Amino acid sequence: MSDDGDVSAQDIAARAGWLYYVGGLRQDQIAEELGISRQRAQRMVARAVAEGLVRVRIDHPIAECLELERALRQKFGLSRARVAPRLGPGQEALRAIASFAAPELERVFRDQTPKLIALGTGRTLRAVIEQMPTIAASQHKMVSLIGNVSPDGSASFYEVIMRIADKTGAPHYPMSVPVMARDAEEFATYRALPHVQSSRALAAQADITIVGIGQMADDAPLFMDGFITEAELRAVQKAGAAGEICGHIFDADGHYLDHPVNAFMVGSRVPVNDNPVLCIGGGVSKIKPLRAALRGRLIDGLITDEITAAELISR
């Protein structure tokens, strides 16, 4: 029998299809990436299409990714782990993760059992939503965990609840306040607003929570997007900041910092209750915050990419 007829060859075909249709690689680049001839790369891409492995996404569980998923679940006690195949050299992880995570979110919204879904925000979640089709999902409700107003009063560019609402028709409850208050008096005012109290109460009842994750290096999203100042960034870095979820900053052990910056975050911290928290994120900059969040059991589900997953389980 030709090696093109065995299970491992189907893995190669699925990976070749992923690199071609999602990664945008040429067949000679695919051949180099997979260590096969150009002719075989061409056959593998054709096979991926012929066997229905390629739609816009790969519909086949690549063996190496399945092993990484099992390892993540075992090492960190996760209830769910999904690993996107890597793309070619120079491709950012977000591109792979967004295409891979979109059908996972689709399954949540296609479920006919009504759910209350709590949502974070950020670049990764926004990229995922852009990959989702329009779905009739008015049986669900959504609530935001974080404010949607930037420091200058403009709408936050990476807010996602409105984007999902446009695609699903689900009733939604944004948190229409700044992400962070400037002082204790302002914080008390925001927290006392009826719609903020309602959003926080709804979040505490969520059936599932879906969040991204941010790094706290010099390119921290909280800093780059203007929510905290450079002085505040340096202060939380000095205090041991490793990452943040919905604006709330935690250390390398996944413990939230006892720090004034955290004290003025208006939204909710995760986990908000005992129900699942699914985090979507990956790439070199996310390894430190993901490792910390996993260590602190802030999340119990993860959708990431192959390279990030391998790094997370390596030590």
Side-chain angles (χ1 to χ4, degrees):
M1 177 186 291
S2 164
D3 64 354
D4 283 357
D6 60 25
V7 175
S8 63
Q10 193 176 54
D11 276 3
I12 295 171
R15 193 178 290 277
W18 177 266
L19 292 170
Y20 185 80
Y21 288 99
V22 179
L25 271 63
R26 302 188 308 271
Q27 289 175 358
D28 59 326
Q29 293 173 313
I30 295 170
E32 181 177 356
E33 174 70 13
L34 299 182
I36 59 179
S37 69
R38 183 172 180 174
Q39 291 75 18
R40 192 176 185 212
Q42 185 177 11
R43 290 202 309 274
M44 291 295 99
V45 172
R47 175 175 174 166
V49 175
E51 294 189 7
L53 304 181
V54 173
R55 295 171 186 171
V56 173
R57 57 186 73 114
I58 296 298
D59 193 14
H60 175 76
I62 293 173
E64 293 92 335
C65 295
L66 289 177
E67 288 300 322
L68 288 169
E69 290 170 6
R70 281 191 283 267
L72 285 169
R73 288 195 298 268
Q74 182 176 12
K75 180 168 184 174
F76 297 108
L78 298 176
S79 62
R80 174 189 293 184
R82 298 285 283 128
V83 175
R86 69 181 181 273
L87 295 178
Q91 299 282 346
E92 64 173 5
L94 179 58
R95 186 173 182 184
I97 293 169
S99 295
F100 193 78
E104 296 293 318
L105 262 64
E106 288 173 39
R107 278 189 275 274
V108 172
F109 284 97
R110 290 189 190 280
D111 189 342
Q112 292 304 302
T113 303
K115 286 185 173 60
L116 176 57
I117 303 162
L119 292 165
T121 189
R123 293 161 173 78
T124 299
L125 289 187
R126 176 183 168 180
V128 174
I129 301 314
E130 296 301 328
Q131 295 290 327
M132 282 180 58
T134 299
I135 303 168
S138 60
Q139 70 273 25
H140 302 303
K141 292 181 180 179
M142 301 181 296
V143 61
S144 181
L145 294 164
I146 185 171
N148 65 356
V149 179
S150 295
D152 64 359
S154 63
S156 176
F157 189 69
Y158 296 106
E159 191 262 1
V160 300
I161 194 170
M162 301 298 292
R163 292 174 181 269
I164 303 181
D166 286 342
K167 290 204 170 185
T168 64
H172 53 289
Y173 301 84
M175 191 176 290
S176 300
V177 289
V179 171
M180 181 182 174
R182 291 172 293 184
D183 53 43
E185 182 180 0
E186 196 172 83
F187 177 80
T189 299
Y190 292 148
R191 279 283 180 94
L193 292 170
H195 73 276
V196 173
Q197 292 183 347
S198 175
S199 291
R200 286 172 52 80
L202 276 174
Q205 302 170 42
D207 297 299
I208 182 171
T209 299
I210 302 172
V211 297
I213 194 165
Q215 66 273 20
M216 291 306 301
D218 290 349
D219 62 345
L222 284 176
F223 170 62
M224 300 298 290
D225 295 339
F227 295 114
I228 62 175
T229 65
E230 184 175 0
E232 288 168 333
L233 175 63
R234 300 296 174 224
V236 294
Q237 287 175 337
K238 186 176 180 180
E244 57 89 8
I245 296 176
C246 296
H248 294 273
I249 303 166
F250 49 86
D251 64 19
D253 292 318
H255 300 146
Y256 285 110
L257 295 182
D258 181 10
H259 192 280
V261 171
N262 264 353
F264 294 151
M265 292 294 172
V266 180
S268 301
R269 287 185 180 182
V270 300
V272 291
N273 54 31
D274 292 331
N275 288 327
V277 178
L278 175 63
C279 181
I280 305 175
V284 173
S285 66
K286 306 294 186 182
I287 291 169
K288 182 177 179 179
L290 280 172
R291 184 174 282 120
L294 289 164
R295 187 176 290 135
R297 301 298 177 96
L298 300 180
I299 60 177
D300 68 353
L302 176 62
I303 301 177
T304 191
D305 67 290
E306 194 172 1
I307 295 173
T308 302
E311 181 64 26
L312 288 172
I313 65 173
S314 66
R315 58 183 178 87

